[in-house]
Amino acid sequence: MMNKITAIRGFKDILPQDAWLFGQIESRARDVFACFGFREIRLPMMEKTELFRRGIGEATDIVEKEMYTFLDRDDQSVSLRPEATASVIRAYIEHSLFASEPISKLFTIGPMFRRERPQKGRFRQFNQIDVELFGEENPQADAEMIAMLMLFLEKSGLKDFALEINSLGCPSCRPRFSRALTEFLQGSEDSLCPDCRRRIHLNPLRVFDCKVESCAAVLANAPMIPDFLCGDCLGHFSAVKSILDDINIGYAVNTRMVRGLDYYTKTAFEVKVSTLGAQNAVAGGGRYNGLVQYLGGPDVPGIGFAVGVERLLACLPAPRAEVFKTDLFIAALGEKALKMAFPYAQQLRGAGLSVEMDYSDKSLKAQLKRADKLNSAYTLIFGDKEIEEKQVILRNMNTKEQHRVDLNHLLDQLKKIIKER
Ligand code: HAM
C-alpha cells in the first residue's frame, strides 16, 4: 500500500458536523451584525508581506516568527494573512470607501494563518469573524463594538465569558509609558529571557506578550499604562466604561493587557473563557486611530475585533447537532427501473427536494434500510410492474403506509405531499 498523505500539522479538516456548526455561527454573526449596520466584505488570503510588516508591526511575534512568507515566482514577497485588520484597511483605502461614506462598517469571515506551536485551541490555520468600523472617534463607538461582540457571543450560546478592557494610550502619552517601562526593564535585564532583552530596545511593550515565567515575575512590578494616560485618553476610557455600565455590560480592567499587535491606541479588549486552558481568549480587539493613515490612507480613526471561530465552538456547551434529513429515497428495482427513475430524481431535485437513490440494485429490504439510515421521510418504489402500470408506490417511512401515485402526476403530487409534511 502507498504511504497515506495526511494534513499539515496545525491545519485541521472541518468535517460535516463541524462545518454545519460553523455555518450556524456564521449566520448568527451575519444576523447580529446586520442589526448594527455592518456589511460583509470578502478579501484575498494572501497579501504583499509589506502590508503586515507595516500594519501589525515588525517587532511583534506574529510578524517576527509566525507568518507564512515566501517569494512568489516573480520574486515578490507575499504572506498568508495572519489576521484580517490590515487587509480590510488595505481594501478600504484601495477602493476609497472613505470617499463614499463617512462611516464604514465592515465584517469578514475566513481563515487566517499563524505558524505558532499547535496546541489545544491553537492552530496554524484558524478562522476568524473579523469586524471593523472606520470613521468614528466617539467612545460610544467603542462601547457599541463591545456590545455587539457580547451580544453575538451570547446569541451563539456561549456561557461564562468575561470581558477585559484596558486603554493603551495614544502617540502623545504612550512614549512616556514606554520610557518608564524601558528604564524599569533595563534595571531587571539579567532576569529577562533573551527575547525580552531584545524587546527592551526594539519595542518594550511586547515584553507583556512573553510567556516565560521568570519574565512574568519581573513584569508583576512593571509600570502600568493607566498611570501614564493623557487627559484625552483618560476621558475616552472613562466614557467607554460609563457607557458599558449604562447598558449593563460587566467588565474587568486588566492594566497589563497590551494585545499582540502594535496598532492599538486607546481602548483594547479581550473576551476570555475559563474552559480553554492557556488559549483562553475567544475574541480580542481595540481601537487603532492612526493605522489607516500609516497604511497610506486618510486620517480616519478605526476600531474592530476578531472572534476565533474554532475557540468559540470549542467552548459552546453541548452544541446542537445537525439533523440530516432526506425528503425522498428512490428505490429502483432492476436496471430498467433505475433508468426510468433517474430523470425523476433529477426533476425533483430541481424542484428543491432532497432526493437520494441507490445505484447498486440491492433488494427492496436493503434499500428501505438505507432510506431509514438517510432519515428519509418517504421512499418511492419503482419496480418493473409499477412501471408497466404507470403507478409507483410511495411509502411513508414513519407510518409505513403505502399508496400508489400516478407516474404522469408524480412531480405535482410529490411536491404537494412532501411540502405539506
Ligand atoms: P487576535 O487577538 O490576534 O486579534 O486574534 C483574535 C482571536 O483569534 C483570538 O482571540 C483567538 O480567539 C483567535 N486566534 C488567534 N490566533 C489563533 C490560533 N493560532 N488558533 C486559533 N485561534 C486563534 C486579531 O487578530 C486582530 N486583528 C483583531 C482586531 C480586529 N483588532 C482590531 N480589529
Side-chain angles (χ1 to χ4, degrees), residues 20 28 33 47-48 51 85 113 128 151 156 182 194 201 204 207 215 237 254-255 264-265 281 312 325 352 384 401 407:
W20 179 80
R28 190 67 25 87
F33 300 166
E47 300 270 4
K48 293 178 185 162
L51 175 69
T85 310
F113 305 83
Q128 280 187 349
L151 186 65
S156 301
T182 307
H201 307 286
V207 295
C215 293
F237 195 39
N254 175 356
T255 54
Y264 292 111
T265 55
L312 173 58
K325 279 195 197 142
D384 287 347
E401 279 168 352
L407 258 187

Short mmCIF file of all heavy atoms in Angstrom, two decimals, residues 20 28 33 47-48 51 85 113 128 151 156 182 194 201 204 207 215 237 254-255 264-265 281 312 325 352 384 401 407:
data_model
loop_
_atom_site.label_atom_id
_atom_site.label_comp_id
_atom_site.label_asym_id
_atom_site.label_seq_id
_atom_site.Cartn_x
_atom_site.Cartn_y
_atom_site.Cartn_z
N TRP A 20 -21.25 22.32 9.63
CA TRP A 20 -22.62 22.78 9.86
C TRP A 20 -22.65 23.78 11.02
O TRP A 20 -23.27 24.84 10.94
CB TRP A 20 -23.52 21.57 10.15
CG TRP A 20 -24.94 21.93 10.42
CD1 TRP A 20 -25.90 22.21 9.50
CD2 TRP A 20 -25.56 22.05 11.71
NE1 TRP A 20 -27.08 22.51 10.13
CE2 TRP A 20 -26.90 22.41 11.48
CE3 TRP A 20 -25.12 21.88 13.01
CZ2 TRP A 20 -27.80 22.60 12.52
CZ3 TRP A 20 -26.01 22.08 14.05
CH2 TRP A 20 -27.34 22.43 13.80
N ARG A 28 -25.41 33.39 12.55
CA ARG A 28 -25.70 34.18 13.76
C ARG A 28 -24.96 35.52 13.69
O ARG A 28 -25.51 36.58 13.97
CB ARG A 28 -25.24 33.36 14.98
CG ARG A 28 -25.63 33.82 16.34
CD ARG A 28 -27.11 33.74 16.66
NE ARG A 28 -27.88 32.76 15.92
CZ ARG A 28 -28.05 31.49 16.27
NH1 ARG A 28 -27.49 31.03 17.36
NH2 ARG A 28 -28.78 30.68 15.54
N PHE A 33 -24.78 41.29 13.27
CA PHE A 33 -24.05 42.44 12.72
C PHE A 33 -24.98 43.31 11.85
O PHE A 33 -24.82 44.52 11.79
CB PHE A 33 -22.83 41.99 11.90
CG PHE A 33 -21.81 41.21 12.70
CD1 PHE A 33 -20.79 40.49 12.06
CD2 PHE A 33 -21.84 41.18 14.09
CE1 PHE A 33 -19.86 39.76 12.79
CE2 PHE A 33 -20.90 40.45 14.83
CZ PHE A 33 -19.92 39.74 14.18
N GLU A 47 -1.44 38.47 0.79
CA GLU A 47 -1.19 39.89 0.54
C GLU A 47 0.32 40.09 0.42
O GLU A 47 1.11 39.21 0.78
CB GLU A 47 -1.67 40.74 1.74
CG GLU A 47 -3.15 40.64 2.08
CD GLU A 47 -4.02 41.66 1.35
OE1 GLU A 47 -3.50 42.41 0.50
OE2 GLU A 47 -5.23 41.68 1.64
N LYS A 48 0.70 41.29 -0.02
CA LYS A 48 2.12 41.62 -0.02
C LYS A 48 2.61 41.64 1.43
O LYS A 48 1.93 42.20 2.30
CB LYS A 48 2.34 42.99 -0.66
CG LYS A 48 2.01 43.00 -2.14
CD LYS A 48 2.18 44.38 -2.72
CE LYS A 48 1.71 44.37 -4.17
NZ LYS A 48 1.44 45.70 -4.70
N LEU A 51 2.44 44.73 3.76
CA LEU A 51 1.20 45.18 4.41
C LEU A 51 1.20 44.76 5.89
O LEU A 51 0.86 45.54 6.77
CB LEU A 51 -0.02 44.58 3.69
CG LEU A 51 -1.36 44.89 4.36
CD1 LEU A 51 -1.72 46.36 4.25
CD2 LEU A 51 -2.49 44.04 3.76
N THR A 85 -7.36 42.59 9.92
CA THR A 85 -7.48 44.06 10.02
C THR A 85 -6.68 44.79 8.94
O THR A 85 -7.21 45.68 8.26
CB THR A 85 -7.04 44.52 11.43
OG1 THR A 85 -7.72 43.72 12.38
CG2 THR A 85 -7.36 45.98 11.66
N PHE A 113 -3.69 32.55 9.11
CA PHE A 113 -2.58 31.59 9.20
C PHE A 113 -1.48 32.14 10.11
O PHE A 113 -0.99 33.25 9.88
CB PHE A 113 -2.00 31.35 7.80
CG PHE A 113 -3.04 30.91 6.81
CD1 PHE A 113 -3.86 31.84 6.16
CD2 PHE A 113 -3.25 29.56 6.54
CE1 PHE A 113 -4.84 31.45 5.25
CE2 PHE A 113 -4.22 29.15 5.64
CZ PHE A 113 -5.02 30.10 5.00
N GLN A 128 -11.44 33.33 11.61
CA GLN A 128 -11.86 34.49 12.40
C GLN A 128 -13.12 35.10 11.81
O GLN A 128 -13.31 35.09 10.59
CB GLN A 128 -10.78 35.58 12.40
CG GLN A 128 -9.64 35.35 13.36
CD GLN A 128 -8.70 36.56 13.43
OE1 GLN A 128 -8.78 37.48 12.62
NE2 GLN A 128 -7.82 36.54 14.41
N LEU A 151 -23.18 40.63 22.48
CA LEU A 151 -24.49 40.15 22.05
C LEU A 151 -24.32 38.93 21.13
O LEU A 151 -25.03 37.92 21.26
CB LEU A 151 -25.23 41.27 21.31
CG LEU A 151 -26.67 40.97 20.91
CD1 LEU A 151 -27.54 40.78 22.16
CD2 LEU A 151 -27.25 42.10 20.06
N SER A 156 -24.78 33.20 20.38
CA SER A 156 -24.17 31.95 19.90
C SER A 156 -24.31 30.85 20.93
O SER A 156 -23.99 29.71 20.66
CB SER A 156 -22.69 32.15 19.61
OG SER A 156 -22.52 33.14 18.66
N THR A 182 10.94 50.98 29.73
CA THR A 182 12.31 50.66 29.30
C THR A 182 13.27 50.80 30.48
O THR A 182 14.10 49.91 30.73
CB THR A 182 12.76 51.61 28.16
OG1 THR A 182 11.78 51.57 27.15
CG2 THR A 182 14.10 51.21 27.59
N PRO A 194 16.19 36.07 26.65
CA PRO A 194 16.88 36.78 25.56
C PRO A 194 15.91 37.56 24.66
O PRO A 194 16.21 38.68 24.25
CB PRO A 194 17.56 35.66 24.77
CG PRO A 194 17.66 34.52 25.72
CD PRO A 194 16.54 34.65 26.69
N HIS A 201 14.76 47.27 23.65
CA HIS A 201 15.19 48.37 22.77
C HIS A 201 14.33 48.48 21.52
O HIS A 201 14.15 49.55 20.97
CB HIS A 201 16.67 48.17 22.40
CG HIS A 201 17.51 48.00 23.63
ND1 HIS A 201 17.81 49.06 24.47
CD2 HIS A 201 18.04 46.89 24.22
CE1 HIS A 201 18.51 48.60 25.51
NE2 HIS A 201 18.65 47.29 25.37
N PRO A 204 9.41 47.86 23.73
CA PRO A 204 9.31 47.35 25.11
C PRO A 204 7.94 46.80 25.49
O PRO A 204 7.84 45.85 26.26
CB PRO A 204 9.68 48.56 25.98
CG PRO A 204 9.67 49.75 25.08
CD PRO A 204 9.88 49.25 23.68
N VAL A 207 7.12 43.00 25.74
CA VAL A 207 7.52 42.08 26.81
C VAL A 207 6.27 41.49 27.48
O VAL A 207 6.32 40.40 28.03
CB VAL A 207 8.41 42.77 27.89
CG1 VAL A 207 9.74 43.19 27.32
CG2 VAL A 207 7.68 43.93 28.55
N CYS A 215 10.00 35.99 33.36
CA CYS A 215 9.71 37.34 32.86
C CYS A 215 8.41 37.85 33.49
O CYS A 215 8.31 39.02 33.87
CB CYS A 215 9.58 37.34 31.34
SG CYS A 215 11.14 36.98 30.51
N PHE A 237 -11.41 56.70 27.98
CA PHE A 237 -11.54 55.41 28.68
C PHE A 237 -12.68 55.47 29.70
O PHE A 237 -13.49 54.54 29.78
CB PHE A 237 -10.21 55.06 29.35
CG PHE A 237 -10.11 53.61 29.78
CD1 PHE A 237 -10.61 52.58 28.98
CD2 PHE A 237 -9.49 53.27 30.98
CE1 PHE A 237 -10.52 51.26 29.37
CE2 PHE A 237 -9.39 51.94 31.37
CZ PHE A 237 -9.91 50.94 30.57
N ASN A 254 -8.06 45.24 32.92
CA ASN A 254 -6.81 44.50 33.04
C ASN A 254 -5.68 45.42 32.57
O ASN A 254 -5.45 45.59 31.37
CB ASN A 254 -6.88 43.23 32.17
CG ASN A 254 -5.58 42.46 32.16
OD1 ASN A 254 -4.58 42.91 32.72
ND2 ASN A 254 -5.57 41.30 31.51
N THR A 255 -4.98 45.99 33.53
CA THR A 255 -3.98 47.03 33.21
C THR A 255 -2.75 46.45 32.50
O THR A 255 -1.91 47.20 32.03
CB THR A 255 -3.52 47.74 34.49
OG1 THR A 255 -3.08 46.76 35.41
CG2 THR A 255 -4.67 48.55 35.09
N TYR A 264 -2.68 49.16 18.22
CA TYR A 264 -3.76 49.66 19.08
C TYR A 264 -3.46 51.01 19.73
O TYR A 264 -2.33 51.30 20.10
CB TYR A 264 -4.09 48.63 20.15
CG TYR A 264 -4.72 47.39 19.57
CD1 TYR A 264 -4.04 46.18 19.57
CD2 TYR A 264 -5.98 47.43 19.00
CE1 TYR A 264 -4.60 45.04 19.02
CE2 TYR A 264 -6.56 46.30 18.44
CZ TYR A 264 -5.86 45.11 18.45
OH TYR A 264 -6.42 43.99 17.91
N THR A 265 -4.50 51.81 19.85
CA THR A 265 -4.45 53.06 20.60
C THR A 265 -5.72 53.08 21.46
O THR A 265 -6.73 52.50 21.08
CB THR A 265 -4.54 54.29 19.67
OG1 THR A 265 -5.72 54.18 18.87
CG2 THR A 265 -3.34 54.41 18.75
N ALA A 281 -8.47 33.18 25.16
CA ALA A 281 -9.14 34.34 24.53
C ALA A 281 -9.99 33.88 23.35
O ALA A 281 -9.49 33.27 22.41
CB ALA A 281 -8.12 35.36 24.08
N LEU A 312 -14.43 29.52 19.82
CA LEU A 312 -15.82 29.73 20.23
C LEU A 312 -16.57 28.40 20.21
O LEU A 312 -17.26 28.04 21.16
CB LEU A 312 -16.49 30.75 19.30
CG LEU A 312 -17.99 30.96 19.48
CD1 LEU A 312 -18.31 31.40 20.91
CD2 LEU A 312 -18.54 31.99 18.50
N LYS A 325 -31.57 15.33 7.06
CA LYS A 325 -32.84 14.77 6.59
C LYS A 325 -32.85 14.66 5.08
O LYS A 325 -32.29 15.51 4.39
CB LYS A 325 -33.98 15.70 7.00
CG LYS A 325 -34.42 15.53 8.43
CD LYS A 325 -35.77 16.22 8.57
CE LYS A 325 -36.11 16.47 10.02
NZ LYS A 325 -36.77 17.74 10.20
N GLY A 352 -36.35 21.39 -5.73
CA GLY A 352 -35.96 21.78 -4.36
C GLY A 352 -36.10 20.68 -3.32
O GLY A 352 -35.95 20.93 -2.13
N ASP A 384 -40.50 -3.22 -12.00
CA ASP A 384 -40.95 -3.44 -13.37
C ASP A 384 -42.48 -3.34 -13.48
O ASP A 384 -43.02 -2.72 -14.39
CB ASP A 384 -40.49 -4.81 -13.87
CG ASP A 384 -38.99 -4.79 -14.14
OD1 ASP A 384 -38.43 -3.66 -14.17
OD2 ASP A 384 -38.39 -5.87 -14.30
N GLU A 401 -47.17 3.53 5.93
CA GLU A 401 -48.30 3.49 4.98
C GLU A 401 -47.79 3.62 3.55
O GLU A 401 -46.83 4.37 3.30
CB GLU A 401 -49.26 4.66 5.24
CG GLU A 401 -50.21 4.41 6.38
CD GLU A 401 -50.92 5.70 6.80
OE1 GLU A 401 -50.56 6.79 6.31
OE2 GLU A 401 -51.81 5.60 7.63
N LEU A 407 -47.67 7.90 -12.31
CA LEU A 407 -46.39 8.42 -12.82
C LEU A 407 -46.55 9.74 -13.58
O LEU A 407 -45.66 10.59 -13.55
CB LEU A 407 -45.75 7.39 -13.75
CG LEU A 407 -44.61 6.56 -13.18
CD1 LEU A 407 -43.98 5.70 -14.26
CD2 LEU A 407 -43.55 7.43 -12.54
#
